[in-house]
Amino acid sequence: DDPGHDIVCSAVSAIAITILNSIEELSDVSFTLDCDQESGNMDFMFKESPDIKAQTLIQAFVIGISGIEESYGDYICMTFKEV
């Protein structure tokens, strides 16, 4: 295994779990989450319009993941889809 891959997986997992738990604890909006452990894909979708707390937490997630992507772009690609 490539050490860069392990670092990225650990960092993204820690940020994602923290943000999702925070949305669940601090916000009243519901969401769906689908994770594929083999591919590493994570699909997250709000079931309703996010409140300001959820929006702020998602912005924090994007900032955190973007920083990882800048340093370890060979191991991570973040895409956004508005639905």
Side-chain angles (χ1 to χ4, degrees):
D1 261 348
D2 187 347
H5 179 265
D6 293 340
I7 291 168
V8 170
C9 286
S10 295
V12 169
S13 294
I15 292 171
I17 290 167
T18 300
I19 294 296
L20 295 174
N21 286 340
S22 297
I23 290 172
E24 198 167 51
E25 288 288 323
L26 302 172
S27 175
D28 293 326
V29 295
S30 57
F31 59 87
T32 60
L33 177 65
D34 183 33
C35 296
D36 183 341
Q37 291 185 348
E38 281 190 33
S39 70
N41 288 335
M42 180 180 73
D43 292 321
F44 172 89
M45 188 181 327
F46 288 111
K47 291 183 177 179
E48 58 201 83
S49 293
D51 61 15
I52 190 70
K53 291 177 185 176
Q55 290 176 25
T56 301
L57 289 163
I58 290 298
Q59 288 172 341
F61 176 77
V62 171
I63 291 167
I65 299 300
S66 294
I68 295 169
E69 189 174 27
E70 285 177 24
S71 298
Y72 296 95
D74 291 342
Y75 304 102
I76 183 171
C77 177
M78 183 169 49
T79 58
F80 298 92
K81 294 180 189 175
E82 284 196 41
V83 291

